[in-house]
């Protein structure tokens, strides 16, 4: 019935208007604190309650609209002011509009020929981001990739190519045993990238962290020397600016000194913390990032850009192209009538590449850098508010001492039954079960969501993260009350 069917225009407009109405109702509900964050059902319940199977015959448009409503009914409202579960939260209206526009345009990022404006916007935006990193005049290169894990893998790929360009044709068998270094609190994607690239997870050496989760530079230098003595070749150090759990910022200046001394590629995984470059108050936490060879920065996290939006920034121009290009003549013809430097597809691993830049660019136009700054400063202020509320409150223990550097606030809730117990094995085993039970109850009631995890010898604790500018002091107060309500009887 819909376009391009003959006489389908009226039906199509009516159908799309109904879809927009469904979406607008969902947007309104996302910011309504009286609605649930989640209408939780167990997987087998959802599978049995509705018919999700694909059939040979088409459904009616009324049934299709019902499918849309049902899907959103059980979706997590990640824009809800009381959703704190992930590093990427919130729902930005301009970003949403940009996402709708790019879906309607439905093009690919590999050539200027088919994505002229989008390619130019990527060029402009990446240059601006490199300026903010501190590279003179925004020099260098970069690309938007499908998430921080892929951006980190790109960095590893390019660092390896820089040191041993022959690996591109001859493979790992033609080069020495490489080793990479990253902190024990770093993101798992560093090891995942090493596995995917044939370097191997055993070749990723984890560097010890201090009690706040920051890499210890002296241990990094010791492990580099150790690896060299064994005949291995150190090729990359991945420092973290905003670790996933503690929100720690590695000491980038000291790490840069070590990388320079041993001629090792310095990568900064700023997927979570890169947004702080927007804030005059907080960007000092990334001092030294300008000395990096490459940087991962995910605007879909701290800056609230709709998923996905992850940038890899590279200081040396042309290196990505040399590393990845395959000269596919059916796409990258050399006799086109425009400047071929705007055909960016050959420097990517992907062929098909989604338009991610427009969301960030349009939001940046709408907010300005000062708007992003205000949004980020507010989230960090909320984290400090939570920390100050619970640091001396009965029933709470902080996982590490001192004010958090990012919006990560890590704590245990201690139910009344455990407060007078001595710190022994039984108390530890009981405490380990507290956060998972409270989290399960949160989801079943649908009131809020906050993440938990163990780390090293520390049993399950709550990791509160704030990246949604819709959250307020009242939402933080609500979270504390809800944890206490749901955990009193444990």
């Amino acid at each position: 019935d819909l376009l391009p069917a003959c006489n389908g225009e009226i039906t199509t407009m009516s159908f799309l208007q109904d879809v927009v109405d469904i979406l607008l109702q969902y947007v309104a509900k996302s910011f309504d604190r009286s609605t649930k964050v989640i209408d939780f059902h167990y997987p087998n319940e959802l599978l049995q309650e509705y018919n999700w199977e694909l059939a040979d015959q088409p459904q009616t448009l009324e049934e299709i609209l019902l499918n849309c409503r049902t899907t959103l009914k059980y979706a997590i409202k990640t824009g809800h002011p009381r959703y704190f579960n992930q590093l990427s939260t919130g729902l930005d209206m301009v970003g949403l509009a940009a996402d709708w526009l790019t879906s309607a345009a439905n093009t690919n990022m590999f050539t200027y020929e088919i994505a002229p404006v989008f390619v130019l916007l990527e060029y402009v935006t990446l240059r601006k981001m490199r300026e903010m990193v501190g590279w003179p005049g925004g020099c260098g290169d970069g690309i938007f990739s499908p998430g921080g894990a892929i951006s980190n893998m790109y960095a590893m790929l390019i660092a390896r190519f820089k040191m041993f360009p022959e690996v591109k044709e001859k493979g790992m068998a033609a080069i020495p045993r490489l080793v990479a270094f990253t902190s024990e609190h770093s993101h798992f994607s560093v090891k995942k990238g090493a596995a995917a690239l044939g370097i191997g997870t055993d070749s990723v050496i984890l560097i010890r962290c201090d009690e706040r989760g920051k890499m210890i530079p002296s241990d990094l230098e010791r492990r580099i020397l150790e690896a060299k003595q064994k005949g291995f070749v150190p090729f990359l150090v991945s420092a973290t600016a905003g670790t996933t759990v503690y929100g720690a910022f590695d000491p980038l200046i000291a790490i840069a000194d070590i990388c320079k001394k041993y001629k090792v590629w310095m990568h900064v995984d700023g997927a979570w913390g890169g947004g702080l470059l927007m804030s005059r108050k907080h960007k000092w936490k990334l001092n030294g990032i300008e000395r990096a060879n490459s940087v991962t920065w995910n605007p879909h996290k701290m800056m609230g850009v709709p998923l996905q939006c992850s940038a890899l920034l590279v200081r040396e121009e042309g290196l990505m192209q040399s590393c990845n290009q395959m000269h596919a003549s059916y796409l990258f013809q050399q006799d086109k009538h425009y400047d071929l430097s705007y055909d960016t597809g050959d420097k990517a691993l992907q062929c098909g590449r989604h338009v991610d830049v427009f969301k960030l660019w349009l939001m940046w136009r709408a907010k300005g850098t000062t708007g992003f700054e205000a949004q980020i400063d507010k989230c960090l202020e909320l984290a400090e508010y939570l920390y100050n509320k619970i640091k001396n409150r009965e029933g709470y223990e902080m996982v590490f001492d001192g004010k958090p550097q990012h919006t990560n606030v890590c704590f245990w809730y201690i139910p009344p039954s455990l407060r007078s117990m001595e710190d022994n094995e039984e108390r530890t085993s009981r405490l380990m079960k507290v956060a998972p039970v409270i989290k399960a109850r949160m989801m079943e009631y649908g009131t809020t969501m906050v993440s938990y995890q163990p780390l090293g010898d520390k049993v399950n604790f709550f990791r509160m993260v704030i990246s949604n500018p819709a959250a307020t002091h009242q939402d933080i107060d609500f979270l504390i009350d809800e944890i206490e309500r749901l955990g009193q009887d444990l």
Side-chain angles (χ1 to χ4, degrees), residues 278-326:
M278 293 278 187
S279 167
R280 285 165 291 188
K281 184 177 178 182
H282 295 286
K283 67 181 179 183
W284 64 268
K285 295 166 188 176
L286 295 104
N287 283 351
I289 195 171
E290 71 282 354
R291 296 176 62 187
N293 298 95
S294 57
V295 173
T296 292
W297 179 353
N298 285 9
H300 69 227
K301 292 197 167 94
M302 202 62 218
M303 293 164 67
V305 177
L307 282 160
Q308 62 197 21
C309 188
S310 172
L312 175 78
L313 310 171
V314 183
R315 191 166 61 186
E316 183 178 333
E317 194 172 357
L319 198 55
M320 285 192 84
Q321 187 82 5
S322 303
C323 178
N324 296 321
Q325 68 184 353
M326 288 295 156

Short mmCIF file of all heavy atoms in Angstrom, two decimals, residues 278-326:
data_model
loop_
_atom_site.label_atom_id
_atom_site.label_comp_id
_atom_site.label_asym_id
_atom_site.label_seq_id
_atom_site.Cartn_x
_atom_site.Cartn_y
_atom_site.Cartn_z
N MET A 278 35.56 19.33 26.50
CA MET A 278 34.61 20.42 26.27
C MET A 278 34.51 21.37 27.47
O MET A 278 33.96 22.46 27.36
CB MET A 278 33.21 19.85 26.01
CG MET A 278 33.08 19.07 24.72
SD MET A 278 32.83 20.23 23.39
CE MET A 278 32.51 19.16 22.01
N SER A 279 35.00 20.93 28.62
CA SER A 279 34.78 21.67 29.87
C SER A 279 36.05 22.36 30.34
O SER A 279 37.05 21.70 30.63
CB SER A 279 34.29 20.70 30.96
OG SER A 279 34.36 21.31 32.24
N ARG A 280 36.00 23.69 30.45
CA ARG A 280 37.17 24.42 30.96
C ARG A 280 37.48 24.03 32.40
O ARG A 280 38.65 24.04 32.81
CB ARG A 280 36.91 25.93 30.87
CG ARG A 280 37.01 26.49 29.46
CD ARG A 280 36.43 27.87 29.33
NE ARG A 280 34.97 27.87 29.46
CZ ARG A 280 34.19 28.91 29.25
NH1 ARG A 280 34.73 30.06 28.88
NH2 ARG A 280 32.87 28.82 29.39
N LYS A 281 36.46 23.62 33.13
CA LYS A 281 36.65 23.26 34.54
C LYS A 281 37.32 21.89 34.71
O LYS A 281 38.06 21.66 35.67
CB LYS A 281 35.28 23.26 35.24
CG LYS A 281 35.33 22.99 36.73
CD LYS A 281 33.94 23.07 37.35
CE LYS A 281 33.97 22.77 38.84
NZ LYS A 281 32.61 22.79 39.43
N HIS A 282 37.07 20.98 33.78
CA HIS A 282 37.51 19.58 33.99
C HIS A 282 38.54 19.07 32.99
O HIS A 282 39.06 17.97 33.17
CB HIS A 282 36.28 18.66 33.96
CG HIS A 282 35.32 18.90 35.09
ND1 HIS A 282 35.58 18.50 36.38
CD2 HIS A 282 34.11 19.51 35.12
CE1 HIS A 282 34.56 18.84 37.16
NE2 HIS A 282 33.66 19.47 36.42
N LYS A 283 38.86 19.83 31.94
CA LYS A 283 39.72 19.26 30.90
C LYS A 283 41.16 19.02 31.36
O LYS A 283 41.89 18.28 30.71
CB LYS A 283 39.69 20.12 29.63
CG LYS A 283 40.30 21.50 29.76
CD LYS A 283 40.17 22.24 28.43
CE LYS A 283 40.75 23.65 28.52
NZ LYS A 283 40.56 24.37 27.24
N TRP A 284 41.55 19.62 32.50
CA TRP A 284 42.90 19.37 33.04
C TRP A 284 43.13 17.88 33.31
O TRP A 284 44.28 17.42 33.32
CB TRP A 284 43.11 20.18 34.33
CG TRP A 284 42.20 19.77 35.46
CD1 TRP A 284 40.98 20.31 35.76
CD2 TRP A 284 42.43 18.74 36.43
NE1 TRP A 284 40.42 19.68 36.85
CE2 TRP A 284 41.29 18.71 37.29
CE3 TRP A 284 43.47 17.84 36.67
CZ2 TRP A 284 41.18 17.82 38.34
CZ3 TRP A 284 43.36 16.95 37.73
CH2 TRP A 284 42.22 16.94 38.56
N LYS A 285 42.05 17.14 33.50
CA LYS A 285 42.19 15.71 33.78
C LYS A 285 42.79 14.96 32.59
O LYS A 285 43.26 13.82 32.73
CB LYS A 285 40.83 15.11 34.17
CG LYS A 285 40.29 15.69 35.47
CD LYS A 285 38.81 15.39 35.70
CE LYS A 285 38.29 16.16 36.90
NZ LYS A 285 36.84 15.98 37.11
N LEU A 286 42.74 15.58 31.41
CA LEU A 286 43.30 14.98 30.20
C LEU A 286 44.61 15.66 29.78
O LEU A 286 45.06 15.50 28.64
CB LEU A 286 42.30 15.03 29.05
CG LEU A 286 41.04 14.19 29.26
CD1 LEU A 286 39.85 15.08 29.61
CD2 LEU A 286 40.71 13.34 28.05
N ASN A 287 45.26 16.39 30.68
CA ASN A 287 46.54 17.02 30.35
C ASN A 287 47.52 15.97 29.84
O ASN A 287 47.71 14.92 30.48
CB ASN A 287 47.14 17.72 31.58
CG ASN A 287 46.47 19.05 31.88
OD1 ASN A 287 45.66 19.53 31.09
ND2 ASN A 287 46.77 19.64 33.03
N GLY A 288 48.13 16.25 28.69
CA GLY A 288 49.06 15.29 28.08
C GLY A 288 48.46 14.57 26.89
O GLY A 288 49.17 13.93 26.12
N ILE A 289 47.14 14.70 26.71
CA ILE A 289 46.50 13.98 25.60
C ILE A 289 47.01 14.49 24.25
O ILE A 289 47.03 13.74 23.27
CB ILE A 289 44.95 14.09 25.69
CG1 ILE A 289 44.29 13.05 24.77
CG2 ILE A 289 44.47 15.50 25.40
CD1 ILE A 289 42.79 12.94 24.95
N GLU A 290 47.46 15.75 24.23
CA GLU A 290 47.97 16.32 22.97
C GLU A 290 49.24 15.62 22.50
O GLU A 290 49.63 15.74 21.34
CB GLU A 290 48.22 17.83 23.14
CG GLU A 290 49.40 18.20 24.02
CD GLU A 290 49.13 18.08 25.53
OE1 GLU A 290 47.97 17.80 25.92
OE2 GLU A 290 50.09 18.25 26.31
N ARG A 291 49.86 14.84 23.36
CA ARG A 291 51.09 14.11 22.99
C ARG A 291 50.78 12.70 22.46
O ARG A 291 51.69 11.98 22.04
CB ARG A 291 52.03 14.03 24.19
CG ARG A 291 52.53 15.42 24.63
CD ARG A 291 53.37 15.36 25.87
NE ARG A 291 54.58 14.57 25.68
CZ ARG A 291 55.42 14.25 26.66
NH1 ARG A 291 55.18 14.68 27.91
NH2 ARG A 291 56.49 13.53 26.42
N ALA A 292 49.53 12.33 22.45
CA ALA A 292 49.14 11.00 21.97
C ALA A 292 49.28 10.91 20.45
O ALA A 292 49.16 11.91 19.74
CB ALA A 292 47.71 10.68 22.37
N ASN A 293 49.51 9.69 19.96
CA ASN A 293 49.49 9.44 18.51
C ASN A 293 48.08 9.21 18.00
O ASN A 293 47.80 9.42 16.82
CB ASN A 293 50.36 8.22 18.17
CG ASN A 293 51.81 8.43 18.55
OD1 ASN A 293 52.23 8.02 19.63
ND2 ASN A 293 52.58 9.07 17.69
N SER A 294 47.20 8.72 18.89
CA SER A 294 45.81 8.48 18.50
C SER A 294 44.93 8.58 19.74
O SER A 294 45.38 8.37 20.86
CB SER A 294 45.64 7.11 17.83
OG SER A 294 46.10 6.07 18.69
N VAL A 295 43.66 8.92 19.49
CA VAL A 295 42.70 9.13 20.58
C VAL A 295 41.35 8.56 20.16
O VAL A 295 40.88 8.80 19.05
CB VAL A 295 42.53 10.64 20.89
CG1 VAL A 295 41.41 10.86 21.90
CG2 VAL A 295 43.84 11.24 21.40
N THR A 296 40.74 7.79 21.06
CA THR A 296 39.33 7.39 20.90
C THR A 296 38.47 8.34 21.72
O THR A 296 38.79 8.64 22.87
CB THR A 296 39.12 5.94 21.39
OG1 THR A 296 39.80 5.04 20.51
CG2 THR A 296 37.65 5.57 21.45
N TRP A 297 37.37 8.79 21.13
CA TRP A 297 36.47 9.74 21.81
C TRP A 297 35.05 9.39 21.36
O TRP A 297 34.74 9.44 20.19
CB TRP A 297 36.86 11.17 21.41
CG TRP A 297 36.03 12.28 21.99
CD1 TRP A 297 34.89 12.19 22.72
CD2 TRP A 297 36.29 13.68 21.84
NE1 TRP A 297 34.42 13.43 23.03
CE2 TRP A 297 35.27 14.38 22.52
CE3 TRP A 297 37.29 14.43 21.20
CZ2 TRP A 297 35.21 15.76 22.57
CZ3 TRP A 297 37.23 15.82 21.26
CH2 TRP A 297 36.21 16.47 21.94
N ASN A 298 34.19 9.03 22.32
CA ASN A 298 32.81 8.64 22.02
C ASN A 298 31.82 9.74 22.41
O ASN A 298 31.39 9.80 23.56
CB ASN A 298 32.42 7.36 22.79
CG ASN A 298 33.04 6.12 22.22
OD1 ASN A 298 33.90 6.18 21.36
ND2 ASN A 298 32.62 4.97 22.72
N PRO A 299 31.42 10.58 21.48
CA PRO A 299 30.39 11.58 21.80
C PRO A 299 29.05 10.96 22.22
O PRO A 299 28.22 11.65 22.81
CB PRO A 299 30.26 12.39 20.50
CG PRO A 299 31.60 12.25 19.85
CD PRO A 299 32.00 10.84 20.14
N HIS A 300 28.84 9.66 21.93
CA HIS A 300 27.57 9.06 22.35
C HIS A 300 27.57 8.72 23.85
O HIS A 300 26.55 8.24 24.37
CB HIS A 300 27.22 7.83 21.50
CG HIS A 300 28.08 6.62 21.67
ND1 HIS A 300 28.59 5.92 20.60
CD2 HIS A 300 28.53 5.94 22.76
CE1 HIS A 300 29.30 4.88 21.02
NE2 HIS A 300 29.27 4.89 22.33
N LYS A 301 28.65 9.00 24.53
CA LYS A 301 28.66 8.78 25.98
C LYS A 301 28.42 10.12 26.69
O LYS A 301 27.30 10.56 26.82
CB LYS A 301 29.97 8.10 26.40
CG LYS A 301 30.07 6.65 25.88
CD LYS A 301 31.13 5.86 26.60
CE LYS A 301 30.99 4.38 26.30
NZ LYS A 301 31.83 3.94 25.18
N MET A 302 29.48 10.76 27.14
CA MET A 302 29.33 11.94 28.01
C MET A 302 28.61 13.10 27.33
O MET A 302 28.03 13.95 28.00
CB MET A 302 30.73 12.37 28.45
CG MET A 302 30.75 13.19 29.72
SD MET A 302 30.11 12.28 31.11
CE MET A 302 29.22 13.58 31.93
N MET A 303 28.64 13.16 26.00
CA MET A 303 28.05 14.30 25.30
C MET A 303 26.60 14.04 24.89
O MET A 303 25.94 14.93 24.35
CB MET A 303 28.89 14.66 24.08
CG MET A 303 30.26 15.21 24.47
SD MET A 303 31.44 15.21 23.10
CE MET A 303 30.69 16.44 22.01
N GLY A 304 26.10 12.82 25.11
CA GLY A 304 24.69 12.54 24.91
C GLY A 304 24.23 12.45 23.46
O GLY A 304 23.04 12.54 23.18
N VAL A 305 25.16 12.25 22.53
CA VAL A 305 24.78 12.07 21.12
C VAL A 305 24.13 10.69 20.98
O VAL A 305 24.61 9.73 21.56
CB VAL A 305 26.01 12.19 20.20
CG1 VAL A 305 25.63 11.94 18.75
CG2 VAL A 305 26.65 13.57 20.36
N PRO A 306 23.03 10.57 20.24
CA PRO A 306 22.40 9.24 20.08
C PRO A 306 23.38 8.21 19.53
O PRO A 306 24.23 8.53 18.69
CB PRO A 306 21.26 9.51 19.08
CG PRO A 306 20.92 10.95 19.27
CD PRO A 306 22.23 11.62 19.57
N LEU A 307 23.25 6.99 20.04
CA LEU A 307 24.11 5.89 19.57
C LEU A 307 23.92 5.69 18.07
O LEU A 307 22.82 5.80 17.57
CB LEU A 307 23.73 4.59 20.28
CG LEU A 307 24.25 4.42 21.71
CD1 LEU A 307 23.42 3.38 22.44
CD2 LEU A 307 25.71 4.06 21.73
N GLN A 308 24.98 5.37 17.32
CA GLN A 308 26.35 5.31 17.77
C GLN A 308 27.10 6.50 17.24
O GLN A 308 26.77 7.03 16.19
CB GLN A 308 27.03 4.01 17.32
CG GLN A 308 27.09 3.91 15.82
CD GLN A 308 27.35 2.52 15.30
OE1 GLN A 308 27.14 1.51 15.93
NE2 GLN A 308 27.81 2.43 14.08
N CYS A 309 28.11 6.94 18.00
CA CYS A 309 28.93 8.06 17.53
C CYS A 309 30.28 7.97 18.24
O CYS A 309 30.42 8.42 19.38
CB CYS A 309 28.23 9.38 17.83
SG CYS A 309 29.06 10.80 17.07
N SER A 310 31.24 7.36 17.56
CA SER A 310 32.58 7.17 18.13
C SER A 310 33.61 7.62 17.11
O SER A 310 33.54 7.24 15.94
CB SER A 310 32.81 5.70 18.48
OG SER A 310 34.16 5.48 18.86
N ALA A 311 34.57 8.42 17.56
CA ALA A 311 35.61 8.91 16.66
C ALA A 311 36.97 8.35 17.05
O ALA A 311 37.31 8.29 18.24
CB ALA A 311 35.66 10.43 16.69
N LEU A 312 37.74 7.95 16.04
CA LEU A 312 39.17 7.73 16.23
C LEU A 312 39.89 8.90 15.59
O LEU A 312 39.65 9.23 14.43
CB LEU A 312 39.65 6.44 15.58
CG LEU A 312 41.18 6.31 15.71
CD1 LEU A 312 41.57 5.85 17.10
CD2 LEU A 312 41.78 5.41 14.66
N LEU A 313 40.77 9.53 16.36
CA LEU A 313 41.56 10.67 15.88
C LEU A 313 43.02 10.23 15.81
O LEU A 313 43.52 9.60 16.75
CB LEU A 313 41.40 11.85 16.83
CG LEU A 313 39.96 12.24 17.18
CD1 LEU A 313 39.92 13.28 18.28
CD2 LEU A 313 39.21 12.73 15.95
N VAL A 314 43.69 10.56 14.72
CA VAL A 314 45.08 10.14 14.51
C VAL A 314 45.92 11.37 14.21
O VAL A 314 45.53 12.22 13.40
CB VAL A 314 45.19 9.13 13.34
CG1 VAL A 314 46.63 8.66 13.17
CG2 VAL A 314 44.26 7.94 13.58
N ARG A 315 47.07 11.48 14.88
CA ARG A 315 47.88 12.69 14.74
C ARG A 315 48.55 12.80 13.37
O ARG A 315 48.71 13.89 12.83
CB ARG A 315 48.94 12.75 15.85
CG ARG A 315 49.65 14.09 15.93
CD ARG A 315 50.43 14.26 17.21
NE ARG A 315 51.48 13.28 17.37
CZ ARG A 315 52.22 13.15 18.45
NH1 ARG A 315 52.01 13.94 19.50
NH2 ARG A 315 53.16 12.23 18.54
N GLU A 316 48.97 11.66 12.80
CA GLU A 316 49.71 11.69 11.53
C GLU A 316 48.75 11.52 10.35
O GLU A 316 48.09 10.50 10.20
CB GLU A 316 50.76 10.58 11.50
CG GLU A 316 51.61 10.62 10.24
CD GLU A 316 52.70 9.56 10.22
OE1 GLU A 316 53.16 9.12 11.29
OE2 GLU A 316 53.09 9.14 9.11
N GLU A 317 48.72 12.53 9.51
CA GLU A 317 47.83 12.49 8.34
C GLU A 317 48.34 11.48 7.31
O GLU A 317 49.54 11.32 7.12
CB GLU A 317 47.75 13.88 7.70
CG GLU A 317 46.62 14.01 6.71
CD GLU A 317 46.43 15.43 6.22
OE1 GLU A 317 47.13 16.35 6.69
OE2 GLU A 317 45.55 15.63 5.36
N GLY A 318 47.40 10.77 6.68
CA GLY A 318 47.75 9.84 5.60
C GLY A 318 48.04 8.42 6.07
O GLY A 318 48.06 7.49 5.26
N LEU A 319 48.25 8.25 7.36
CA LEU A 319 48.63 6.92 7.87
C LEU A 319 47.47 5.94 7.78
O LEU A 319 47.65 4.77 7.42
CB LEU A 319 49.11 7.07 9.32
CG LEU A 319 49.92 5.92 9.91
CD1 LEU A 319 51.13 5.59 9.05
CD2 LEU A 319 50.35 6.26 11.34
N MET A 320 46.25 6.40 8.10
CA MET A 320 45.08 5.53 8.01
C MET A 320 44.88 5.04 6.57
O MET A 320 44.57 3.87 6.34
CB MET A 320 43.81 6.27 8.44
CG MET A 320 43.66 6.50 9.91
SD MET A 320 41.99 7.07 10.30
CE MET A 320 41.12 5.52 10.38
N GLN A 321 45.05 5.96 5.63
CA GLN A 321 44.87 5.61 4.22
C GLN A 321 45.88 4.56 3.79
O GLN A 321 45.52 3.54 3.20
CB GLN A 321 45.03 6.89 3.38
CG GLN A 321 44.72 6.72 1.89
CD GLN A 321 43.23 6.80 1.59
OE1 GLN A 321 42.43 7.08 2.47
NE2 GLN A 321 42.86 6.53 0.35
N SER A 322 47.16 4.78 4.12
CA SER A 322 48.20 3.82 3.74
C SER A 322 47.95 2.46 4.37
O SER A 322 48.16 1.42 3.74
CB SER A 322 49.58 4.32 4.18
OG SER A 322 49.84 5.58 3.63
N CYS A 323 47.48 2.48 5.61
CA CYS A 323 47.27 1.24 6.35
C CYS A 323 46.13 0.41 5.77
O CYS A 323 46.22 -0.81 5.67
CB CYS A 323 46.99 1.58 7.82
SG CYS A 323 46.66 0.16 8.87
N ASN A 324 45.05 1.08 5.36
CA ASN A 324 43.82 0.35 5.05
C ASN A 324 43.42 0.32 3.58
O ASN A 324 42.57 -0.47 3.19
CB ASN A 324 42.66 0.94 5.86
CG ASN A 324 42.84 0.75 7.35
OD1 ASN A 324 43.31 -0.29 7.79
ND2 ASN A 324 42.50 1.76 8.14
N GLN A 325 44.00 1.17 2.75
CA GLN A 325 43.48 1.28 1.39
C GLN A 325 43.72 0.01 0.57
O GLN A 325 44.73 -0.68 0.73
CB GLN A 325 44.10 2.49 0.67
CG GLN A 325 45.57 2.39 0.38
CD GLN A 325 46.10 3.68 -0.25
OE1 GLN A 325 45.34 4.59 -0.58
NE2 GLN A 325 47.40 3.77 -0.41
N MET A 326 42.73 -0.28 -0.29
CA MET A 326 42.79 -1.47 -1.17
C MET A 326 42.55 -1.09 -2.63
O MET A 326 42.51 -1.95 -3.49
CB MET A 326 41.74 -2.50 -0.72
CG MET A 326 42.10 -3.20 0.57
SD MET A 326 43.57 -4.22 0.43
CE MET A 326 44.12 -4.28 2.13
#
